[in-house]
Amino acid sequence: MRTVVLTMKASVIEMFLVLLVTGVHSNKETAKKIKRPKFTVPQINCDVKAGKIINPEFIVKCPAGCQDPKYHVYGTDVYASYSSVCGAAVHSGVLDNSGGKILVRKVAGQSGYKGSYSNGVQSLSLPRWRESFIVLESKPKKGVTYPSALTYSSSKSPAAQAGETTKAYQRPPIPGTTAQPVTLMQLLAVTVAEATPTTLPRPSPSAASTTSRPRPQPMDHRSQEMDLWSTTTYTSSQNRPGANPGIQRQDPSGATFQKPVGADASLGEMDLLKPGSVLLDEGFVPKEELSTQSSEPVSLGDPNCKVDLSFLIDGSASIGKRRFRIQKQFLADVAQALDVGPAGPLMGVVQYGDNPATHFNLKTHMNSQDLKTAIEKIPQRGGLSNVGRAISFVTKNFFSKANGNRSGAPNVVVVMVDGWPTDKVEEASRLARESGINIFFITIEGAVENEKQYVVEPNFANKAVCRTNGFYSLHVQSWFGLHKTLQPLVKRVCDTDRLACSKTCLNSADIGFVIDGSSSVGTGNFRTVLQFVTNISKEFEISDTDTRIGAVQYTYEQRLEFGFDKYSSKPDILNAIKRVGYWSGGTSTGAAINFALEQLFMKSKPNKRKLMILITDGRSYDDVRIPAMAAHLKGVITYAIGIAWAAQEELEVIATHPARDHSFFVDEFDNLYQYVSRVIQNICTEFNSQPRN
C-alpha cells in the first residue's frame, strides 16, 4: 500500500514539473511574439496650455505659426502652466515659428513669473501659479518611455480637435467585474507610471450613463428680437465643439453674437457641464473645477490697445427700456471684445440724463467679465438728454489719477446718443479736446425731416468729435443695427496712432532753445536766461514719445548743448539746463538759426510740432532774414524774445507770422519770468486753433 502511495506522489510531481516547464516555454514563446509598440510623437495645437496636459514629462510636435500674440505666454525660461506650450517653446528659442518637436517637463509652481520679449514673442508677468514647466530640445532620455497619447484634464481638449487620442482616468477592469470610479490616489499612480505598457480603456457604458448630458437646443426656437433683449456673449465665429449653440446672429464682419441657452453660468460651471466630460463621468472632479469661478488667471488685457476709455451712455426717458437694454448689451459686447486688463484697455461708464453720474471708474473693474456683470446691473436714470453737461463732467472729474487714469494711455470718450441732445455740446467738447480727450460719437436714429426743428444744435456730432474726417463718428439708422458698429468702434479706439486728440499743446512738440551767450549778456544775466528756459520747460510733458527739449548756445560760433534725443525725462532736462556754461563772445544770430535747423530740427520726429524759442539781448552781426525764411519754410514755428538792446525789427523778421503772437520784447533780464505764461498760452492757442479735418 505504501509503495502505491509513493508511486502516485512521484507521478503527480512529475506531471507538475512537466506542466511548469511547458508553461515557462509557452510564456517565452508568447513574449517573443509581442512586439514593443512604436513611439509616435503626439501633435498639439498652438493654443494648448501645459496645465491641460496631465503627463509630467512628454514630447510633442508643435505646428507652425505659434508666434502669434493671441497664444499667451507667462514667464521667462520657467513658464506658468497657463501658458501655451508651443508659444513658450518659441519664446525660449527651442523652436522657431515653423514648429517642430519639443520636450516638456513639469516643475513646481512659482511665486512670480517675469515677462520678457524674446524671439518675436512677448511673454507676460504673473504673480503666482500652481504649476510650471520648462521646454527643452526633443532628445529622449535613455530608459524613459514617453507617451504616444497625451492625457488631458478634460475630454474636450484642443488636441482632440487635431486628431489626438485622449486617455480616460480608469483602471483596467478585472474580468467579471464592473469598472470602478478612479480615486485621487489612483490618478496620481497612473500619472507617475507613464512608462508602463498598461493600456487605459474607455469608460464603461454603465459609468457613462450615470450622468445626464444637456442636449443642444434648436437654433430657430427664439426670435432675433428676443436675442436682443437677453444676455449675449461676444465670441469669435469659431464655436467650441460640444458647446450649446444657442441663438446666433451673424455680423457682416464675421463676428458672431451668441446667446447661451439656459441659465448663466461662470466659466468653471460651464466646464463641468460640457458633454462628454471624462472627469465628471468617472466621479473625479478636481478641486479647482468645483468652484463657480475660473481658477485660470484673469487676463492682463490687450497690450496693443492700452487706452483709458469712458462710455457716456444715454439714460434719458426718451430712449425707453427696450433700447436701454440694447445699449447695455452693446457695452457688454465692447467690454468682451476689448480684453480689459491693467496692461491693456480700462473702461468706465457714466450715464447722463438731466445730470451725469459715474457708475464705475477706470479702476473699479479690471477685467472684461467683471465689467459685463456690472453693466448688466446699471439702472436707467431718465430725464433729458444733456450731453454737453455730461462731457463737461467727464472732462473735469473722470480722467484723474484717483479714478485710475494712466499717464501713458490715451483718454477716450465714446458718447452714445439716441436722437439728439437737449443741450449744446460744442463748447464742452472743445474744452475736452484741449484737455487731450479723444471724443467719439455714436448717434442712433437721428431726427427725421419734421423733427429737425426741435434739434438744439444742428450738426452737433461734427462740432464735438476730435476730427471731422469720419473716423470719430458712427451713425446707426436703427437700434437693431447697433451691433454692426462693434468691430469698427473697437478697431478705431485701439488705433492709438490715429487718436489725434491725445496730442495736446504740451505733449506733442520738439522745442529747441537758441540762447545768446554773447559778452553783453554777462554771467549773472545768463543764469537768469537759463531760469527762463527752465520755467518754460517745466510746463511741458517731457518724454521720448511726448515733448522733447534741445538747446543751442551761440556767440560768433555755435554749440549744441544737448539734442532732442539726449534726455527723455523732465528731471534730466532741468538738470541739463542748469549745467549749461556761459560762453561769451559776439552775436551772430543768423548763423545760429541755420545751425539749429541743421543740428536740432533735422532730427525732429515727423509727427512733432517744431518750435524754436530764440532769446537774444542785442542786434545780430549777420543777416537774419534768409535763415529766418528757411526756418519758416521748413515748418519751424519760431518765437523771438528780445531783451534790453535787441532790435525790434529783427525780432519781427525772425518770428513766425503773425509777429505780434510770436515776438516779445523785455526791457530787463529780471522781467523775463513775466513772459513764461504768455509764451505757453500762445503756443497752446495756436495748437488748438488747428483745423479738425
Side-chain angles (χ1 to χ4, degrees), residues 535-568:
N535 291 341
I536 289 180
S537 301
K538 281 181 179 178
E539 299 297 320
F540 290 87
E541 299 172 25
I542 296 173
S543 77
D544 183 55
T545 56
D546 294 313
T547 291
R548 303 187 302 170
I549 305 290
V552 167
Q553 183 182 176
Y554 74 95
T555 57
Y556 283 128
E557 299 177 288
Q558 306 84 35
R559 183 168 73 193
L560 179 65
E561 300 293 351
F562 51 88
F564 293 135
D565 55 356
K566 181 71 173 177
Y567 304 107
S568 58

Side-chain angles (χ1 to χ4, degrees), residues 312 314 352-353 384-395 413-434 437-443 455-466 468 472-473 692:
L312 273 177
D314 191 340
Y352 66 88
L384 299 175
S385 184
N386 290 330
V387 177
R389 184 177 296 178
I391 293 173
S392 295
F393 173 83
V394 168
T395 303
V413 171
V414 178
V415 185
M416 301 187 68
V417 182
D418 173 52
W420 59 88
T422 53
D423 64 348
K424 293 187 176 182
V425 303
E426 184 174 11
E427 180 62 18
S429 300
R430 182 185 65 81
L431 294 174
R433 294 193 303 269
E434 290 178 1
I437 298 173
N438 296 273
I439 300 180
F440 288 79
F441 257 68
I442 301 178
T443 54
V455 177
V456 175
E457 191 174 29
N459 201 25
F460 61 89
N462 277 342
K463 294 178 181 178
V465 295
C466 184
T468 56
Y472 293 87
S473 303
R692 294 189 299 113

Side-chain angles (χ1 to χ4, degrees), residues 452-526:
K452 289 182 178 179
Q453 57 181 318
Y454 304 113
V455 177
V456 175
E457 191 174 29
N459 201 25
F460 61 89
N462 277 342
K463 294 178 181 178
V465 295
C466 184
R467 293 287 185 271
T468 56
N469 56 8
F471 182 78
Y472 293 87
S473 303
L474 293 164
H475 179 70
V476 184
Q477 295 291 339
S478 166
W479 279 94
F480 296 102
L482 180 61
H483 66 278
K484 295 181 181 179
T485 66
L486 175 64
Q487 288 299 328
L489 177 66
V490 170
K491 185 177 180 180
R492 296 180 192 188
V493 165
C494 293
D495 190 354
T496 54
D497 290 337
R498 294 189 65 182
L499 296 181
C501 280
S502 297
K503 299 173 183 177
T504 69
C505 59
L506 301 178
N507 69 3
S508 58
D510 280 343
I511 303 176
F513 289 95
V514 181
I515 305 168
D516 185 349
S518 62
S519 303
S520 58
V521 175
T523 303
N525 288 334
F526 188 76

Side-chain angles (χ1 to χ4, degrees), residues 120-137:
V121 176
Q122 176 65 59
S123 72
L124 305 173
S125 300
L126 194 66
R128 64 183 64 83
W129 197 241
R130 60 178 176 264
E131 183 185 59
S132 310
F133 70 98
I134 57 175
V135 185
L136 306 168
E137 294 182 2

Side-chain angles (χ1 to χ4, degrees), residues 90-203:
V90 177
H91 181 268
S92 65
V94 175
L95 284 185
D96 57 25
N97 204 33
S98 62
K101 298 177 184 178
I102 57 171
L103 172 62
V104 178
R105 184 179 301 148
K106 297 288 188 69
V107 294
Q110 293 190 353
S111 59
Y113 298 86
K114 185 178 180 181
S116 64
Y117 182 82
S118 178
N119 302 310
V121 176
Q122 176 65 59
S123 72
L124 305 173
S125 300
L126 194 66
R128 64 183 64 83
W129 197 241
R130 60 178 176 264
E131 183 185 59
S132 310
F133 70 98
I134 57 175
V135 185
L136 306 168
E137 294 182 2
S138 59
K139 295 180 180 179
K141 290 183 181 179
K142 291 183 179 180
V144 178
T145 303
Y146 295 94
S148 296
L150 301 177
T151 305
Y152 288 89
S153 61
S154 171
S155 65
K156 187 179 70 60
S157 66
Q161 299 173 10
E164 181 72 58
T165 302
T166 304
K167 296 179 183 178
Y169 297 119
Q170 186 178 19
R171 285 189 176 277
I174 301 172
T177 64
T178 57
Q180 299 296 321
V182 177
T183 65
L184 177 58
M185 294 306 296
Q186 290 171 335
L187 174 64
L188 295 175
V190 171
T191 304
V192 173
E194 286 292 335
T196 64
T198 305
T199 58
L200 300 177
R202 292 181 176 274

Side-chain angles (χ1 to χ4, degrees), residues 308-310 362 394 397-401 405 411-413 437:
D308 289 344
L309 173 64
S310 171
L362 295 168
V394 168
N397 302 291
F398 189 86
F399 294 106
S400 66
K401 189 174 182 180
N405 188 51
N411 294 337
V412 178
V413 171
I437 298 173

